[in-house]
Amino acid sequence: MGVVLSRFAISKLAGWEISVNAFIEMAKPLSIDPTFFRVFTGIIISTVVIGYLSTAIYSLFKNKANLKIPFTNWAILANLFGLLTMIGALLAEFSLRVQPKWLLVYIAIGVILFSAINIFILNKQKQIQNH
């Protein structure tokens, strides 16, 4: 999920034309500066990407490095933040665009589903660890 979303963070922060045009369209109903809206969204998505990638990297190396960091809480938080961010993306897609971009809708739904599944699995692990 982090790798997929990194493309969207980069496009917003780098000011790719497709992203600039989309945020001009979406900022209009809100009467806000489209550049601020785009960069702010890029920072939020970058934070989600860092959360997802850090949990993935930790998962890969925790046994090899014998790490004792409280992973479960961080992973739940990262997935919850990603889930809520994508809900916001869906709200923006349907309320601020003239016509929603369906590929973006499907990607957001996929991230929401995977995040929800991860949160469910992580909560189960947390319950097992606490017993």
Side-chain angles (χ1 to χ4, degrees):
M1 293 183 299
V3 172
V4 170
L5 290 179
S6 66
R7 183 259 183 230
F8 297 101
I10 292 167
S11 71
K12 286 161 186 53
L13 295 174
W16 292 0
E17 184 179 353
I18 192 166
S19 188
V20 169
N21 293 336
F23 277 85
I24 289 171
E25 176 187 349
M26 290 191 298
K28 203 172 282 184
L30 297 173
S31 299
I32 61 172
D33 178 46
T35 302
F36 169 78
F37 188 25
R38 176 179 48 80
V39 171
F40 179 75
T41 303
I43 291 169
I44 295 293
I45 294 175
S46 295
T47 305
V48 171
V49 168
I50 291 167
Y52 283 144
L53 293 180
S54 66
T55 58
I57 291 167
Y58 179 87
S59 294
L60 291 173
F61 296 109
K62 69 179 176 183
N63 291 335
K64 294 177 184 161
N66 211 6
L67 299 171
K68 301 292 182 200
I69 301 167
F71 165 74
T72 306
N73 290 336
W74 171 252
I76 289 171
L77 180 65
N79 278 277
L80 183 60
F81 188 51
L83 185 145
L84 293 174
T85 300
M86 289 300 104
I87 289 172
L90 286 177
L91 290 172
E93 202 60 38
F94 287 107
S95 63
L96 300 177
R97 281 196 192 258
V98 174
Q99 180 69 33
K101 303 292 182 201
W102 289 104
L103 179 60
L104 300 178
V105 169
Y106 299 141
I107 291 169
I109 290 171
V111 172
I112 289 169
L113 290 174
F114 279 114
S115 292
I117 291 167
N118 284 342
I119 291 168
F120 178 78
I121 291 168
L122 290 162
N123 275 324
K124 285 261 191 215
Q125 286 179 344
K126 194 173 179 180
Q127 289 173 356
I128 291 169
Q129 290 171 355
N130 291 336
H131 284 14

